[in-house]
Amino acid sequence: MTKLHYFKTTLTFSLLFLCAIGTTESFRVRAVTSVSFPDVFTEVKDSAGINDAIIIQLPKDMTYISGIELHFKIPEIIAAWRDTIAYSLYDDITPTPTTNKIDYTGTRITVGTFPGRLSHTIYIPLIEGSELKNSPYHEKTSVIPNTKNRTIFFRMQLAMKGVPEAFEDAKFEFTAKPVLIQKGKFNLSITTPNASTEPYSVFIDNKPVTLQKDGILLDLGEHHLSITSDNYRNEVRTFRIEQAKTTSLSVALRGIEPSVKISSPESATVFFDDQPVRDTKEAFVITQGDHTIKFIIGDYEVVRNITAVNGRSYAVNLSIDALVTEEE
C-alpha cells in the first residue's frame, strides 16, 4: 500500500466515523467481553479482538470513582498499521449488553484510533472536572458517557480496508481499573449527655461543616476537628483521611458542669463537702463555687479547698511519701 493510498483511506474512514458521532446506529459485533470490579481498588484483565465490544460493569457505589483506565497491549501486526483500528464509546445501548448478544443499537459519542506502538492507555472520565489529563502516553476521551445503568460500552472495529488477514485473529490484551478521586470519606457520630438536644457547631480545619448521614468527602491527609457549644465542653480531635476509605470517629459531648476526680490510698477516708466519697475511681460532677475535700488516715487529716468553674475538670491527689536522710 502506498503512503498516498494509506493517507486517503485513513482520511475517508476518519471522516465517516466523525459523521457518525451523535447519531443512533444499529451494528453487530463479533463478540462481547464483560468485565466488572469487585471493589474500587482492584484491576481486571481480559482480551478482545477487532470488531469486538467490551462491556465495563461499574460498581454500585461510585462515590470515589472519577473515571476508568483502559490499558491495551497492541499486537505487533496492528501496531505496524497505525490508526487502522478504531474504538468508540456508545450511549443508550439497546438491548441490555450481555456476552451472548451481538446485535445492538446505540449512539456513538466519541471515536479514536490506536496508535502505532505496542501499548496505549485510554482514560474515560465519569465526572465533570476530572483530573485526568492527556499526555503522549495516554489519552482522555472528550465525552463523559451516560452511566445511569452503570455500564460503559466500548467498541473496536476496522477503520480502513486492505489490512492483512492476520488482523482477524489478533487479540488486544487489556487491563481495566477505576481511577479514584483524591478524597476519602469522614463519618462523625456525636452523642450528648442524657440525649440532650442543645445545639453545637462542628468545624473541620477551622471551617464550619454540616454533618451528612452518609459522611462527607475530604481531601487526603491529616485534618483537625473541633466541636464548640455554649452547652457542652469544647472537644478537639485529629484524624487522617485515606484515599477511597471511610474514617469514622465517635465523640461523646460532656456537659459544662465542673467535675472532680479524687485519688487517694485505699486506707484513706474521703469527704467532699462533708459527704463521704464511696468511689474514688471515677470523676463526678460538682457545682460551681467553693468546695472542701477532706482526707483522713488514722489520726492524720488533710483538707483542701477548690473553687470550681463551669467547663473545667479537677484532679485531687493525696500521696503519702517518706523522706529518707542520712545522719552522721
Side-chain angles (χ1 to χ4, degrees), residues 31-35 46-49 52-56 98-99 171 174:
V32 174
T33 299
S34 179
V35 296
D46 214 316
S47 63
D52 288 357
I54 299 172
I55 303 171
I56 303 172
T98 63
T99 55
K171 288 286 188 178
F174 68 89

Side-chain angles (χ1 to χ4, degrees), residues 9 17 23 63 88 95 152 218 229-230 241 243-244 249 291 298 307 325:
T9 305
F17 280 124
T23 60
T63 301
S88 304
I152 296 175
L218 295 174
S229 174
D230 292 332
I241 293 294
Q243 187 178 33
L249 185 63
H291 299 277
T307 300
T325 62

Side-chain angles (χ1 to χ4, degrees), residues 186-192 211 225 227 235-239 247-254:
F186 178 59
N187 194 358
L188 177 62
S189 173
I190 298 177
T191 57
T192 58
L211 299 181
L225 167 74
I227 304 172
E235 302 287 346
V236 177
R237 303 287 191 277
T238 298
F239 62 93
T247 298
S248 298
L249 185 63
S250 297
V251 177
L253 297 183
R254 299 171 295 167

